[in-house]
Amino acid sequence: MPSQRAAIVEAWFRKHQRFLPWRAAYLPYHVWVSEVMLQQTRMEVVLGYYEKFLDRFPTIAALAAATDDEVMSAWSGLGYYRRARMLRDGARDVVERFRGKVPATVDELLTIGGIGRYTAGAVASIAHKVKAPIVDGNVARILARLFAIEAPLKSPALMREAWRYAEELVSESRNPRDFNQGLMEIGALICKPSKPRCDECPLTVHCLAFQQQRVDEFPRKAATEETRAMRIALYVVRNDEGLVLMRRERGKLMNAMFHLPHGDTTLLDGAPLPVRDARHVGTFRHTVTNRRIAFEVFTATIAAIADSDVYAWIDTASMSRVPHPSYVKKALALADQKSFASSSAGLFRS
């Protein structure tokens, strides 16, 4: 019975839940921030950013008042930067229309910019104990196995079935906060994509895939997206004061983020910046979704160029306040390391 399954999940969660900082008080704003951060980002990465972000923006009003640069710099390194702007815009919506209080109902939450069906269900159920379903990757995987759903992973058919079953189960729960989090915890810790720990799962007695000895068949595999290999040149250009030339991107992928000038337009928008005396200092690899990128790092010089709404000379000691993707730090570190090695060799020879 669904009610038995819900009760099992709730009891398991109360006994086995991990301590996570937003679970200390379940404040709606904190839950909201955590859910947005956790979208497409690993838990261990989020834990390194969550409390720092809240230290910088301790209230919804503080986040609503933040500029693009402030919120993007606090998000630097988390990736998928559009989430940061949408979270800030959503905070402004809450301040303007809900007097700074995160609403409790799914219907109201869905009217806030940047909040979709999953986030609305998560905030409503976890922060407000509303019986709202949630389906993320972990939950979809559990439900595909629990009910032997034949539709392939990430397909609309699988998600339709998963949402239907999730709504049925949460409606039978006594504590939707514990139930929804329990499903996600079981997915993260036990019902993993490969080598699931079925011997530790509290739901095996109700799991059709387990009973049919077909756990490894669910969810059905989706067609894999081809990975694109790319090479991009990044230029580290310093002026006489040691400042580094950077450019604010305006493309859809990294809008408002500061980048090093580049020599390729396949990922970064805008025309490549012509440089002089380019010297190759090293290569590092970076993966973004289905792109496997080899960044070739060069030091270079350039004709005089002034600060503008496109280019800026940046003191790298203040990078924590400058919104930038994580690979910019890698490139700067590589260039600085090479420069230091060259200087040290020159001193030794003299």
Side-chain angles (χ1 to χ4, degrees), residues 332-345:
L332 290 172
L334 187 59
D336 290 343
Q337 179 184 11
K338 191 74 172 182
S339 176
F340 176 79
S342 298
S343 300
S344 298

Side-chain angles (χ1 to χ4, degrees), residues 198-233:
C198 295
D199 57 328
E200 300 177 36
C201 182
L203 289 170
T204 50
V205 67
H206 298 287
C207 180
L208 292 181
F210 180 79
Q211 292 169 9
Q212 298 170 11
Q213 298 184 356
R214 300 170 62 204
V215 173
D216 292 339
E217 297 179 27
F218 296 99
R220 296 294 194 187
K221 298 294 186 290
T224 57
E225 187 175 3
E226 183 179 354
T227 300
R228 295 170 56 196
M230 308 170 67
R231 303 187 79 82
I232 297 177

Side-chain angles (χ1 to χ4, degrees), residues 161-176:
E161 287 294 285
W163 277 104
R164 181 172 68 84
Y165 283 120
E167 186 166 11
E168 176 184 314
L169 290 170
V170 76
S171 69
E172 298 292 337
S173 68
R174 291 188 175 183
N175 186 329

